[in-house]
């Protein structure tokens, strides 16, 4: 069958970057789209593709979130499909599934895959046992263990949360060149973290392998080399990238992990390529639609439609479809915002800021695939851009900074 189900009403959970693309794609297939409005970060609710918004509580407690969702769904029997997009909703889904109505379709990977991917330590153990390439790593739970692990792993190294929804300060990952950098950044155990992962630093670009899988077998792949990010140290959110050929070593990582997890649904595998040796090193799997999902849509892979079809019990043609290489995307609002924050925080000079802005604008006018902008649906991007202006110049929306849209 094709990646298609009968038109229905779908609720997207998580108003951030991919919500716009998913809403537009599914609306074009005849579905009626609602999106959660957890805060003012995203702008998907202003899209022509979106019919309504669920104004959820601002609480970050997943139990509160999912109880509120259960009440909303009880009042809206017309919403037949619920599609978690944001990581916080995805990670909490199976722990709160019992709260939700049984007569709806929930677009999630199979439970084992979702739970293993959410546990970074467990995932790294699976990767190691599978014999896949991964940088040396240690999972720790105390400050003393953290310092010991730094000595064991050696510098340079990275420290990242075992729970990727909780950042270390303002960073998803800390890159620490030496002991002095470690002592300056980590004077104590970061609050809110049950575990951290200390891992050898791999110097090189990130590769994203977007995929759809049916009962442990890949049916869609798109390999993307990430260019710039919204942070100067390149640990932030990707602001541009380009599809590349699916090399055998990268496909082997994907095929092996998908089979080990009996993966059923869509996701994104991230690896690093050592710029000196060319070797790949596993980074993580996101058991959800990727943040820069627009690139897979531009390549015609229909990952959002496939995800809904698989969750609805559909059986798809299992022949592998691989995205063509050379398709580039750009996230202009994220790049501009990141440059402005880096300038404000003294991480880049005014001249470097100007160079980044000029490069961003060049990519904006020379790239066909934009993460948020559509000529036929411009309002969401105008809202996001206006939030970067002073209050008196804002044209749309509340003016809150966009941290995820």
């Amino acid at each position: 069958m094709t990646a298609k189900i009968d038109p229905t009403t779908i609720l997207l959970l998580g108003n951030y970057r991919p919500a716009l693309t998913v809403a537009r794609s599914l609306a074009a297939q005849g579905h009626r789209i609602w999106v959660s409005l957890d805060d003012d970060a995203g702008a998907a609710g202003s899209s022509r593709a979106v019919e309504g918004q669920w104004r959820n509580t601002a609480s970050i407690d997943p139990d509160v979130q999912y109880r509120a969702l259960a009440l909303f769904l009880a009042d809206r029997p017309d919403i037949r499909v619920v599609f978690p997009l944001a990581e916080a909703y995805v990670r909490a889904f199976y722990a709160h599934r019992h709260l939700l109505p049984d007569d709806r379709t929930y677009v999630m990977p199979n439970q084992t895959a979702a739970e293993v991917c959410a546990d970074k330590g467990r995932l790294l153990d699976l990767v190691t046992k599978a014999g896949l390439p991964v940088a040396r790593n240690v999972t720790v739970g105390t400050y003393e263990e953290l310092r010991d692990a730094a000595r064991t792993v050696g510098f340079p190294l990275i420290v990242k949360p075992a729970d990727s929804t909780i950042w270390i300060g303002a960073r998803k990952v800390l890159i620490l060149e030496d002991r002095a950098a470690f002592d300056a950044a980590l004077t104590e155990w970061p609050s809110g973290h049950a575990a951290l992962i200390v891992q050898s630093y791999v110097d090189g670009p990130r590769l994203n392998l977007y995929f759809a899988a049916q009962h442990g077998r890949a049916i869609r792949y798109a390999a993307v080399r990430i260019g710039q990010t919204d942070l100067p140290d390149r640990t932030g959110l990707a602001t541009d990238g380009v599809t590349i050929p699916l090399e055998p070593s990268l496909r082997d990582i994907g095929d092996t992990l998908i089979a080990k997890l009996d993966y059923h649904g869509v996701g994104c595998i991230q690896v690093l390529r050592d710029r000196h040796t060319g070797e790949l090193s596993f980074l993580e799997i996101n058991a959800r639609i990727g943040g820069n999902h627009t690139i897979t849509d531009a390549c015609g892979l229909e990952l959002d439609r496939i995800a809904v079809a698989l969750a609805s019990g559909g059986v798809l043609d299992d022949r592998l479809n691989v995205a063509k290489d050379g398709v580039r995307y750009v996230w202009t609002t994220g790049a501009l915002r990141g440059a402005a924050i880096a300038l404000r925080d003294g991480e880049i000079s005014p001249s470097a800021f100007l160079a980044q802005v000029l490069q961003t604008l060049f990519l904006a006018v020379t790239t066909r695939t934009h993460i948020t902008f559509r000529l036929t649906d411009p309002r969401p991007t105008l809202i996001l851009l206006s939030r970067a202006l002073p209050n008196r110049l804002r044209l749309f929306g509340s003016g809150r900074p966009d941290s995820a849209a």
Side-chain angles (χ1 to χ4, degrees):
M1 63 171 286
T2 60
K4 185 177 177 62
I5 63 171
D6 292 336
T8 188
T9 302
I10 300 176
L11 171 64
L12 308 180
L13 297 179
N15 185 3
Y16 81 123
R17 298 188 311 285
L20 272 170
T21 302
V22 174
R24 290 161 173 162
S25 174
L26 295 178
Q29 201 178 18
H31 301 294
R32 302 170 66 181
I33 307 300
W34 279 61
V35 64
S36 67
L37 184 61
D38 308 281
D39 52 39
D40 291 333
S46 64
S47 170
R48 295 174 58 187
V50 173
E51 178 178 297
Q53 299 180 79
W54 168 45
R55 294 187 175 273
N56 189 19
T57 173
S59 170
I60 61 173
D61 183 342
D63 188 63
V64 174
Q65 297 274 21
Y66 269 93
R67 288 185 184 279
L69 175 61
L71 291 174
F72 176 71
L73 293 177
D75 288 338
R76 292 300 306 265
D78 58 309
I79 294 178
R80 307 309 304 166
V81 176
V82 179
F83 196 160
L85 297 176
E87 186 173 5
Y89 279 111
V90 171
R91 290 174 64 88
F93 176 80
Y94 282 110
H96 297 84
R97 172 65 183 84
H98 64 284
L99 299 173
L100 303 177
D102 290 329
D103 62 344
R104 314 299 164 91
T105 295
Y106 299 98
V107 186
M108 280 285 296
N110 55 304
Q111 185 169 356
T112 297
E115 291 178 346
V116 171
C117 293
D119 186 335
K120 303 303 181 186
R122 187 177 171 190
L123 179 60
L124 287 172
D125 184 59
L126 181 149
V127 170
T128 301
K129 289 179 179 178
L132 297 176
V134 61
R136 188 177 187 183
N137 62 87
V138 180
T139 301
V140 299
T142 68
Y143 187 63
E144 291 72 23
E145 291 177 353
L146 178 61
R147 293 185 67 86
D148 288 342
R151 285 190 289 269
T152 300
V153 171
F155 294 95
L157 56 79
I158 66 170
V159 177
K160 61 184 180 180
D163 181 346
S164 55
T165 63
I166 308 173
W167 290 17
I168 304 177
R171 301 282 178 171
K172 294 176 66 177
V173 176
L174 298 179
I175 300 177
L176 305 173
E177 295 288 338
D178 50 33
R179 173 60 66 178
F182 180 96
D183 291 339
L186 295 165
T187 58
E188 59 184 0
W189 183 261
S191 63
H193 292 274
L196 297 173
I197 296 171
V198 182
Q199 193 165 16
S200 296
Y201 174 67
V202 177
D203 180 19
R206 186 168 84 229
L207 307 182
N208 284 0
L209 184 61
Y210 301 95
F211 68 89
Q214 183 169 231
H215 298 301
R217 180 170 178 172
I219 57 175
R220 297 290 189 277
Y221 273 141
V224 177
R225 183 179 65 247
I226 302 303
Q228 301 299 313
T229 74
D230 63 349
L231 293 178
D233 63 6
R234 299 174 65 85
T235 62
L237 304 173
T239 57
D240 70 84
V242 61
T243 57
I244 59 176
L246 180 63
E247 60 189 78
S249 56
L250 184 57
R251 177 173 177 177
D252 180 61
I253 292 174
D255 287 351
T256 300
L257 290 174
I258 287 169
K260 290 285 185 182
L261 294 166
D262 194 28
Y263 206 105
H264 189 71
V266 303
C268 175
I269 297 170
Q270 297 185 342
V271 303
L272 296 171
R273 185 195 300 281
D274 191 302
R275 70 174 71 258
H276 306 290
T277 66
E279 295 178 351
L280 299 179
S281 177
F282 173 81
L283 188 59
E284 65 180 5
I285 305 178
N286 293 317
R288 54 181 170 81
I289 286 283
N292 295 316
H293 165 66
T294 302
I295 186 65
T296 64
D297 189 68
C299 293
L301 294 192
E302 297 187 326
L303 295 191
D304 41 34
R305 303 183 189 189
I306 287 176
V308 174
L310 290 173
S312 302
V315 178
L316 305 182
D317 188 331
D318 64 2
R319 289 175 295 183
L320 181 64
N321 185 350
V322 178
K324 64 180 180 180
D325 60 286
V327 179
R328 180 175 294 278
Y329 77 86
V330 63
W331 181 31
T332 303
T333 54
L336 292 175
R337 185 209 61 211
I341 293 174
L343 176 65
R344 182 200 66 190
D345 294 346
E347 296 180 326
I348 60 174
S349 66
S351 60
F353 169 75
L354 179 60
Q356 283 189 227
V357 170
L358 291 176
Q359 180 187 29
T360 298
L361 295 178
F362 174 77
L363 287 174
V365 299
T366 58
T367 304
R368 294 183 59 184
T369 301
H370 291 253
I371 293 299
T372 62
F373 181 71
R374 295 290 184 279
L375 189 60
T376 57
D377 187 25
R379 184 175 172 81
T381 301
L382 292 175
I383 290 174
L384 298 178
L385 286 173
S386 72
R387 290 175 184 165
L389 298 174
N391 286 334
R392 64 184 181 277
L393 297 179
R394 286 179 182 143
L395 303 176
F396 304 95
S398 68
R400 288 187 55 180
D402 164 34
S403 61

